Amino acid sequence: MDATTAPHRIPPEMPQYGEANHVFELMQNMLEQLLIQQPKDPITFMIEHLQRDNDYVPKIVILGPPASGKTTIAMWLGKHLNSNLLSVESLIAKEYSSLAASARTHYQKFQTLPNMLLVRLLQERLREEDCVRRGWILDGIPETREQALLIQTLGVSPRHVIVLSAPDTVLIERNLGKRIDPQTGEIYHTTFDWPPESEIQNRLIVPAGISEGETARRLLEYHRNIVRILPSYPKIVKVITADQPCVDVFYQALTYVQTIHRSNAPFTPRVLLCGPVGSGKSRQAALLAQKYGLVNVCCGQLLKEAMADKSKYGEMIQPFFEKETAVPSYVIMKVLKQRLDQQDCVERGWVLHDFPRDRDQACLMDSMGYKPNRVFFLNVPYDSIIERLTLRRTDPVTGERAWALGLSAAPGPS
């Protein structure tokens, strides 16, 4: 909206509603799918898209060199997130698909698939209901930049890309001990992950292509491709060191895929600074307000201004100031509401400090619809706070604070 041609009075509840219900992201995702799929009936398509409610299902790509453990991590993520694991092997093993049957024949003969055939297999699989409802995890796909670009042209866009990394010497040594359970597809290792059950031990097989020479060749090919693949996924790549216990790798991967990337939605900062007296709230609020153009809202200052203006709220506050007793929370909230509802706070956002000071005040503020979207607690050791407060001096005319040790005047800690 262009406020230069006509000042817009935006009710404070409107941006809060949009943020709370992810309206911007909802419309953005729907528009993206509309342009990608280009349905003949856009209205019906949008209704079905909203009813599907799958904008936040897992859409993950896991890449890594041979023996980095990407298949193991992908399987664990699939089980934990209740999502679908898709690999070249699972795509060509699909039953009742003429495309998969053709791919199996080609793969058995050449041990690889043409890019277009792989992408068509992936497209067919992603259209199935379980992938639509529960999302997907691509294990080792794409293998080349060409595959990555072809997948993008289908409108298939992951939210999280994990790249496992380890020294080649470690990977070669690890690959020599790899064993596979032909019944379950689980991967084991003679040194790091040997199954305790003798039944499983007896049926493990040595996979093909794990010799030192073959592994070195595959590593060289991987390094050539990965540097060309990653630019296709800007800002969503997480590199994790695979040369550590598999459980640690898994939890790092799980933590990453459960994060929500920063949205491009219009954002009005509502910042709350908490902390004890002397922790520096006033100083940090002033710096934040200056850097980001926020309105610096100090609750104590608001009460003093209300008294100085002799407003109706000032008359309510004055008796408590004279008796040096705490102003009731409901009175403070009325003064605060009046300030936060002003147009500069609604449009530019605010940074609030000195309120709330307890749980009841926080609940009161929340019940009235003033919900911060960023909360910082300034934690300072007790000894440091005592030292700060002991040495602090305030200019009664300007209100500026200075240190008794001769430091320059500045908005000090509060």
Side-chain angles (χ1 to χ4, degrees):
M1 293 184 290
D2 185 4
T4 61
T5 57
H8 299 282
R9 300 297 177 183
I10 306 172
E13 60 271 12
M14 286 180 61
Q16 293 179 15
Y17 177 86
E19 290 177 22
N21 293 278
H22 307 287
V23 172
F24 182 90
E25 295 90 338
L26 183 70
M27 299 303 295
Q28 184 181 43
N29 291 333
M30 187 164 59
L31 181 60
E32 285 178 358
Q33 291 304 312
L34 192 64
L35 296 176
I36 290 169
Q37 304 297 337
Q38 299 181 8
K40 293 182 178 179
D41 186 352
I43 302 300
T44 302
F45 175 85
M46 288 189 288
I47 293 173
E48 292 175 352
H49 176 82
L50 292 172
Q51 290 175 338
R52 200 177 295 129
D53 191 25
N54 69 337
D55 285 338
Y56 296 99
V57 297
K59 295 180 180 179
I60 304 166
V61 168
I62 299 185
L63 304 174
S68 60
K70 59 182 178 295
T71 298
T72 299
I73 300 302
M75 292 176 66
W76 289 2
L77 286 175
K79 292 177 181 177
H80 190 90
L81 301 174
N82 191 29
S83 191
N84 298 284
L85 175 61
L86 308 183
S87 63
V88 173
E89 290 76 12
S90 68
L91 291 175
I92 64 177
K94 182 183 175 184
E95 298 180 351
Y96 311 112
S97 169
S98 58
L99 191 61
S102 174
R104 279 196 301 273
T105 303
H106 192 283
Y107 192 80
Q108 291 169 359
K109 186 175 181 180
F110 300 102
Q111 293 301 303
T112 186
L113 292 178
N115 291 338
M116 188 55 70
L117 180 56
L118 175 62
V119 170
R120 288 174 60 198
L121 277 172
L122 184 62
Q123 183 181 33
E124 181 182 69
R125 181 70 180 89
L126 293 180
R127 286 175 175 172
E128 295 184 5
E129 186 63 23
D130 59 341
C131 284
V132 172
R133 287 186 296 102
R134 297 190 285 118
W136 41 265
I137 301 171
L138 299 187
D139 173 18
I141 302 174
E143 297 177 335
T144 65
R145 177 170 173 79
E146 290 72 22
Q147 290 180 6
L149 296 178
L150 284 172
I151 291 172
Q152 286 181 340
T153 60
L154 300 177
V156 177
S157 180
R159 289 198 184 89
H160 302 89
V161 176
I162 296 173
V163 179
L164 303 183
S165 175
D168 287 356
T169 53
V170 172
L171 297 172
I172 291 173
E173 180 182 359
R174 183 186 291 182
N175 209 30
L176 294 174
K178 183 187 292 186
R179 299 294 184 268
I180 294 180
D181 185 338
Q183 290 189 10
T184 65
E186 294 278 354
I187 298 176
Y188 296 94
H189 195 276
T190 55
T191 304
F192 307 113
D193 187 20
W194 192 244
E197 299 87 352
S198 59
E199 180 183 356
I200 298 178
Q201 295 176 10
N202 294 333
R203 68 172 185 248
L204 295 182
I205 62 173
V206 179
I210 66 169
S211 67
E212 185 173 343
E214 179 65 18
T215 303
R217 185 193 66 78
R218 292 170 59 199
L219 283 171
L220 180 61
E221 183 179 359
Y222 168 81
H223 291 312
R224 286 173 177 169
N225 286 322
I226 192 65
V227 294
R228 301 179 64 237
I229 293 174
L230 294 186
S232 302
Y233 303 112
K235 300 180 180 180
I236 61 171
V237 175
K238 171 74 171 178
V239 179
I240 300 176
T241 300
D243 189 15
Q244 56 180 321
C246 201
V247 173
D248 294 343
V249 177
F250 168 69
Y251 279 113
Q252 290 179 45
L254 180 63
T255 300
Y256 176 63
V257 301
Q258 289 179 328
T259 60
I260 299 177
H261 296 298
R262 184 172 180 176
S263 169
N264 293 322
F267 176 71
T268 303
R270 299 187 298 276
V271 183
L272 175 62
L273 295 182
C274 301
V277 175
S279 59
K281 299 187 297 295
S282 295
R283 173 64 170 163
Q284 297 306 317
L287 292 173
L288 288 171
Q290 181 181 13
K291 182 176 178 65
Y292 298 105
L294 308 179
V295 178
N296 188 352
V297 181
C298 174
C299 192
Q301 187 64 29
L302 287 180
L303 298 180
K304 294 177 182 177
E305 291 174 358
M307 280 189 54
D309 294 341
K310 298 182 179 180
S311 64
K312 62 177 182 179
Y313 295 131
E315 294 175 359
M316 297 172 62
I317 295 168
Q318 188 168 359
F320 298 98
F321 267 60
E322 292 174 348
K323 296 178 183 178
E324 297 184 352
T325 58
V327 180
S329 298
Y330 75 91
V331 177
I332 299 176
M333 198 61 226
K334 288 181 179 180
V335 177
L336 187 61
K337 179 181 186 303
Q338 185 181 49
R339 182 67 187 95
L340 297 182
D341 283 350
Q342 291 182 18
Q343 199 63 20
D344 57 347
C345 285
V346 174
E347 293 181 352
R348 291 161 47 198
W350 42 262
V351 51
L352 172 65
H353 50 111
D354 283 346
F355 189 90
R357 297 192 173 191
D358 55 41
R359 180 181 176 85
D360 291 339
Q361 289 183 348
C363 292
L364 177 61
M365 183 175 168
D366 184 79
S367 67
M368 297 184 69
Y370 299 97
K371 301 180 180 182
N373 46 31
R374 295 291 185 274
V375 178
F376 299 94
F377 188 88
L378 306 183
N379 192 13
V380 182
Y382 180 75
D383 292 343
S384 298
I385 291 177
I386 296 298
E387 182 180 4
R388 288 183 179 186
L389 296 178
T390 302
L391 299 176
R392 190 169 71 182
R393 301 291 183 269
T394 303
D395 186 329
V397 177
T398 65
E400 289 187 345
R401 292 170 180 167
W403 299 95
L405 292 178
L407 297 179
S408 60
S414 68

